[in-house]
Amino acid sequence: MQELHDAPLAPLTTLRLGGPATRLVTATTDAEVVETVRAADAAGEPLLVIGGGSNLVIGDKGFDGTALRIATRGRRIEGTTLELAAGEVWSEAVAASVEAGLAGIECLAGIPGSAGATPIQNVGAYGQEVSQTVTEVLALDRATGETVTLGNEECAFSYRHSRFKAEPERYVVLRVRFALADEDGLSAPIRYAETARALGVEAGDRVPLAQARDTVLKLRAGKGMVLDSEDHDTWSAGSFFTNPLLDEAQLALFLDRARAHLGEDVVPPAYPAGEGRTKTSAAWLIDKAGFTKGYGAGPARISTKHTLALTNRGSATTEDLLDLAREVVAGVERVFGVTLVNEPVTVGVSL
């Protein structure tokens, strides 16, 4: 277990932003994770858990406490069950599942970060969410100091949300188990229209697993959503805002504003989201509000490939990024009456 003091955190995030931590501990086993968390809690010391750093916005002043970097390793495939240590690289785990001929997470290829973060955010893309395949999450319950195993229903998954995100100070994920499917080398049914078009198939069709994964990787790369140290469009936290879920009154207001701004013939994206709610596209809102690809004149700008990604062009500070985020939120609110919500976790700062 490695321990550093006054340690830079920016290199541990995909945004490459944020000040130092008072103390940085790197844990390579579950026992080290548990030991570090228990010690910090017993001392009443603030704790920041870092996995792959792909969903973190850390303030320029850094973190006054212990930052715990989870670097545990362990990947086990037994039949159709996949078990991952929290520190496993997610994209590598997806590749391994495809190589093993197992379907269920192939459309989540290329998503940066660690396996332990996936149930927290209920990570999803291109028609798949981990909630569809997660069976159990082994976690340390900081309220009791004991390790617990939570089944799928106990995780309380919803759109980009979970019990772990609802109680961010309570659980530290140690391992995640998935139930995948052996479909004779074929993918799960293709659900996402963009993916189906790229594959040349109909929604609901299956394709070879590797073909599904490779197609998703190409789609993500075209949007700057596959990490590349040479490409500043990938110096981001991925999608910075979640797609808004609107109730009936909010939807009516949004549609009225959209027609007033864009004309009576406009057809905004709208998808049933259950419980009387409708999901619309954050990327569409941002673009139509005037924040197009590449928007910005400073060191933090909207990606040149995707309006949902806010990027560090190499010399940005966290405050530069947040200023841009606030401008986008205010602009979308002004034009469409819809309030965007940030997807990344903020540390020491807020919108």
Side-chain angles (χ1 to χ4, degrees):
M1 187 161 59
Q2 183 188 66
E3 181 175 326
L4 300 172
H5 294 269
D6 195 27
L9 296 180
L12 302 182
T13 73
T14 53
L15 272 165
R16 295 166 169 80
L17 296 177
T22 305
R23 184 172 75 121
L24 172 63
V25 175
T26 298
T28 58
T29 67
D30 290 353
E32 289 177 351
V33 172
V34 170
E35 176 188 344
T36 303
V37 175
R38 285 175 176 168
D41 288 347
E45 187 177 10
L47 180 72
L48 171 63
V49 178
I50 300 177
S54 60
N55 202 49
L56 275 181
V57 180
I58 299 173
D60 293 316
K61 292 182 179 180
F63 183 71
D64 186 12
T66 292
L68 168 61
R69 177 172 173 257
I70 297 182
T72 54
R73 292 291 182 266
R75 182 172 68 227
R76 181 176 64 88
I77 295 176
E78 187 172 312
T80 57
T81 297
L82 170 66
E83 179 178 297
L84 299 173
E88 278 289 314
V89 177
W90 176 252
S91 59
E92 294 177 2
V94 173
S97 73
V98 169
E99 186 176 345
L102 298 178
I105 57 175
E106 61 278 1
C107 290
L108 303 179
I111 293 177
S114 62
T118 60
I120 297 172
Q121 290 291 119
N122 185 17
V123 164
Y126 296 101
Q128 290 181 346
E129 290 181 332
V130 294
S131 59
Q132 298 165 342
T133 51
V134 168
T135 57
E136 293 180 329
V137 176
L138 178 67
L140 174 66
D141 184 347
R142 296 172 66 186
T144 64
E146 301 299 321
T147 57
V148 295
T149 300
L150 302 175
N152 184 285
E153 289 191 6
E154 294 174 286
C155 294
F157 289 121
S158 59
Y159 173 66
R160 300 299 174 270
H161 201 69
S162 69
R163 180 176 184 174
F164 311 105
K165 192 170 182 180
E167 301 180 79
E169 301 299 319
R170 181 167 180 181
Y171 296 102
V172 177
V173 175
L174 300 174
R175 293 184 174 269
V176 189
R177 298 187 182 108
F178 302 82
L180 304 181
D182 185 346
E183 302 293 351
D184 293 324
L186 296 179
S187 69
I190 301 299
R191 304 291 186 195
Y192 200 69
E194 183 183 12
T195 316
R197 286 195 300 270
L199 287 163
V201 301
E202 298 295 323
D205 288 349
R206 299 176 187 268
V207 300
L209 276 166
Q211 184 181 3
R213 173 182 175 269
D214 292 348
T215 297
V216 165
L217 286 173
K218 289 177 183 176
L219 289 171
R220 290 185 64 86
K223 299 174 183 179
M225 296 292 186
V226 176
L227 294 182
D228 179 353
S229 61
E230 301 300 315
D231 181 0
H232 284 282
D233 277 333
T234 74
W235 289 33
S236 76
S239 297
F240 199 87
F241 301 103
T242 58
N243 289 323
L245 299 176
L246 309 176
D247 62 25
E248 292 183 7
Q250 292 169 327
L251 177 63
L253 173 63
F254 164 51
L255 294 176
D256 285 344
R257 293 279 192 93
R259 294 186 190 106
H261 183 65
L262 299 169
E264 289 295 325
D265 295 333
V266 67
V267 182
Y271 312 97
E275 300 179 351
R277 298 186 300 176
T278 300
K279 181 166 67 174
T280 190
S281 165
W284 186 91
L285 290 168
I286 293 167
D287 180 71
K288 299 304 181 185
F291 302 100
T292 53
K293 295 173 185 175
Y295 178 88
R301 302 179 196 175
I302 290 177
S303 166
T304 66
K305 300 182 180 73
H306 200 305
T307 53
L308 261 186
L310 307 187
T311 68
N312 171 12
R313 307 316 292 186
S315 60
T317 64
T318 301
E319 205 54 37
D320 291 330
L321 186 88
L322 294 177
D323 284 345
L324 176 60
R326 293 175 187 127
E327 183 183 1
V328 171
V329 170
V332 169
E333 174 80 39
R334 182 175 61 252
V335 173
F336 294 112
V338 175
T339 302
L340 294 177
V341 176
N342 55 290
E343 183 170 334
V345 174
T346 56
V347 177
V349 291
S350 65
L351 292 190

